Amino acid sequence: MSAELSMHHDRPAPTPFIVDLDNALTFTNIAAESFVVALVRAPLEALRSLGALLRGNGAFEERLSAVGAVDATLLPYNRTVVEATRRAAAEGRPVYLLSARGERYARAVAAHLDLLAGWISWNDGSVRPGESRIDRLVRQFGHEGFDYIGDDRGRLAIWRSVPHSGDPSATGEIVQPLTPAEAESGDIKRPRASLKTWMRLIRVHQYAKNGLVLVPVLTGHAFALDQLTAAFMALVSFCLVASSVYIVNDIVDLEADRAHPTKRRRPIASGEIPILHGLMAVPVLLGAGIGLAAVVSVPFLLVLLGYLAVTTAYSFYLKRRLLIDVVALAGLYTLRVIAGSVATEVGMSEWLLGFSMFLFMSLALVKRYTELGTRESAGLPDPKNRNYRIADMPMLGSLAAASGFSAVVVFGLYLSSDAVRDSYSRPYVLWLACPILMYWIGRVLIMAQRRDIHDDPIVFALKDRISVLALIVLSSLVLAAI
């Protein structure tokens, strides 16, 4: 669709207002998102769409949008640009969307905002060789005045065309960007991916989970320097690989996160970090983690690759299967403990494996319970990317309680075995850990039911003072029993 200026005989037409779709009106690149969505929904179709590139970007994006259509209502819009667009429309100015994307995207965004007079395609074949977007706009609208908001070398700028008495083809002099101060005064900003934002993306706050790698060293009292060094390297390796998986998971769950009341603030879902930047970070983190694992030992590397295989399967498939997802989560936690045992060559008892599996199964069930509770409180429907319903919450709570207290039973049986007497000089002290564990598990369950837990239960435990105190007391009991 092309835009045309209409002129009245009694007064000039209002100055057109043009806004770029990618990285201006929205904090994202829709083509990149569509390709990722298509890879998740229909991998083969997404790869076949690459063949359309031979016919141009427009054909590619139209083919891609058929299988990887992005929901225009969930896109991360730049509120200040949307408000500027609303003001322009209220002033009676014709508002146009400049899009390098296919017609499907432009129409969807235009219909959602209901502000646009039309859209201008950047891939309709009318662009002349070497012509910039600004040149294209000047050629179409003339140089008697138009406003354009678009991305200029990584920063959002407002461009205004001004009258020029010289050569009309000298568009570099006709169109001038606002100075940074003028742009700031207009409150036209874009979020910057700070170090803190990247830390949120790679989930540094989740690294505490990988501390499970250290459990075999602690329970086996293996404090030799080489064992501690291997344990630390294994911990760092797991953190790097886990971060790469978190990014992949955020990309796969992009639309679901945007529809979630809290997850929509994640860096990729909110547009703070472009999806392409996230994708480029994945091989860097993954390569560093695997390389470090190879230095630790080949057996540890194999366990880490097994963890990577399971967690990748979880991201793309297992997390959509009823109860299989929580079993997989519990297994991933337990794999961390196994990895620590392999890395340090410290034996791990069956008791520890059993205790870990039941405890982490309980926490995984609490995680699902909490997610459903958040949706229920926000008045949202059942999740589309999980095979659970809000009506399942009572059963999930019951299963979490049963699994959690089963872990305490396994711990009690361990204290009654000969194995504990071989490792501790005062094993009877460890019996005091049972009531603390029962109290903590019960408290987590009740707080989840009260909607006082809004995150992963392990992350919650690290922020909760009573949970931290319980951990300190448990650690003191272990030291006293040695």
Side-chain angles (χ1 to χ4, degrees):
M1 174 180 177
S2 61
E4 296 181 359
L5 290 178
S6 61
M7 301 291 291
H8 297 279
H9 295 292
D10 53 341
R11 59 185 175 87
T15 303
F17 186 92
I18 300 100
V19 59
D20 232 331
L21 173 59
D22 287 336
N23 301 317
L25 186 64
T26 65
F27 291 131
T28 188
N29 184 299
I30 299 181
E33 284 195 14
S34 294
F35 188 70
V36 171
V37 171
L39 279 175
V40 175
R41 293 177 181 172
L44 293 179
E45 285 298 320
L47 295 176
R48 289 194 189 103
S49 68
L50 293 174
L53 279 171
L54 299 175
R55 301 194 305 274
N57 289 336
F60 166 67
E61 290 168 2
E62 282 299 323
R63 172 76 180 268
L64 190 61
S65 64
V67 292
V70 174
D71 189 345
T73 65
L74 298 177
L75 287 173
Y77 290 97
N78 185 329
R79 294 181 182 275
T80 56
V81 175
V82 171
E83 287 305 313
T85 306
R86 292 186 189 280
R87 288 195 298 271
E91 293 168 0
R93 300 170 61 184
V95 178
Y96 297 98
L97 182 66
L98 180 63
S99 172
R101 312 280 74 89
E103 180 178 352
R104 185 190 300 263
Y105 297 124
R107 288 188 182 279
V109 172
H112 173 61
L113 294 179
D114 195 25
L115 296 170
L116 305 172
W119 62 277
I120 306 167
S121 175
W122 184 243
N123 282 328
D124 61 0
S126 65
V127 180
R128 297 170 182 172
E131 188 176 44
S132 70
R133 295 191 181 198
I134 299 298
D135 295 335
R136 169 75 167 79
L137 294 176
V138 170
R139 177 164 56 85
Q140 180 164 349
F141 291 97
H143 37 264
E144 289 303 317
F146 68 85
D147 289 349
Y148 163 64
I149 297 180
D151 185 57
D152 174 41
R153 299 180 182 178
R155 68 180 178 88
L156 199 58
I158 305 174
W159 296 73
R160 290 195 177 127
S161 64
V162 296
H164 184 267
S165 57
D167 180 7
S169 64
T171 55
E173 298 179 25
I174 293 176
V175 183
Q176 299 175 347
L178 293 185
T179 66
E182 290 174 320
E184 288 293 319
S185 67
D187 197 28
I188 303 298
K189 305 174 183 177
R190 66 184 311 173
R192 294 183 178 179
S194 63
L195 178 62
K196 184 178 180 180
T197 306
W198 276 97
M199 294 300 100
R200 285 170 48 218
L201 177 65
I202 65 176
R203 306 281 215 287
V204 170
H205 63 282
Q206 299 275 17
Y207 283 180
K209 297 178 181 180
N210 300 319
L212 295 170
V213 172
L214 306 177
V215 169
V217 166
L218 299 176
T219 58
H221 316 144
F223 301 125
L225 181 60
D226 59 337
Q227 291 172 316
L228 292 176
T229 301
F232 176 76
M233 292 174 65
L235 173 63
V236 175
S237 177
F238 250 90
C239 289
L240 292 169
V241 172
S243 287
S244 70
V245 174
Y246 287 138
I247 296 175
V248 171
N249 195 61
D250 280 2
I251 293 173
V252 172
D253 280 348
L254 185 61
E255 289 192 310
D257 284 351
R258 284 179 179 163
H260 194 274
T262 57
K263 293 180 180 179
R264 65 186 179 187
R265 292 190 286 271
R266 287 178 171 175
I268 290 181
S270 66
E272 291 180 84
I273 293 180
I275 191 170
L276 292 178
H277 292 183
L279 284 172
M280 287 188 288
V282 171
V284 174
L285 292 166
L286 189 59
I290 291 177
L292 186 58
V295 173
V296 175
S297 71
V298 173
F300 172 73
L301 173 61
L302 295 176
V303 174
L304 183 65
L305 292 176
Y307 166 85
L308 179 62
V310 174
T311 196
T312 301
Y314 172 83
S315 295
F316 284 93
Y317 179 73
L318 297 180
K319 67 182 177 184
R320 296 176 178 82
R321 304 270 72 86
L322 180 67
L323 293 180
I324 293 177
D325 63 331
V326 288
V327 173
L329 278 178
L332 288 171
Y333 286 128
T334 306
L335 261 178
R336 289 173 166 92
V337 180
I338 296 172
S341 175
V342 172
T344 58
E345 298 182 350
V346 175
M348 185 175 60
S349 69
E350 294 85 351
W351 296 108
L352 180 58
L353 277 176
F355 173 79
S356 300
M357 197 67 192
F358 280 114
L359 179 63
F360 297 136
M361 179 70 176
S362 175
L363 296 178
L365 288 163
V366 170
K367 179 179 173 68
R368 289 291 176 263
Y369 182 97
T370 300
E371 291 171 349
L372 291 173
T374 299
R375 299 189 71 87
E376 183 182 46
S377 299
L380 297 174
D382 295 332
K384 295 181 180 179
N385 63 332
R386 298 284 191 275
N387 193 14
Y388 292 96
R389 302 171 184 172
I390 294 175
D392 297 330
M393 289 178 63
M395 178 56 69
L396 289 175
S398 298
L399 292 173
S403 186
F405 281 87
S406 293
V408 181
V409 171
V410 171
F411 184 73
L413 292 173
Y414 165 67
L415 296 180
S416 303
S417 69
D418 294 333
V420 73
R421 285 185 282 273
D422 295 335
S423 301
Y424 297 90
S425 60
R426 292 178 291 275
Y428 53 86
V429 175
L430 294 176
W431 280 102
L432 295 175
C434 288
I436 296 175
L437 286 170
M438 288 188 290
Y439 163 75
W440 183 78
I441 292 170
R443 181 172 178 272
V444 167
L445 292 168
I446 291 175
M447 293 190 72
Q449 182 172 307
R450 292 178 177 177
R451 308 293 193 272
D452 290 333
I453 297 179
H454 305 289
D455 206 337
D456 188 296
I458 293 181
V459 176
F460 160 79
L462 296 173
K463 300 177 181 178
D464 178 54
R465 288 182 296 178
I466 293 180
S467 297
V468 172
L469 178 61
L471 179 61
I472 293 173
V473 173
L474 288 173
S475 300
S476 301
L477 290 174
V478 173
L479 291 174
I482 295 176

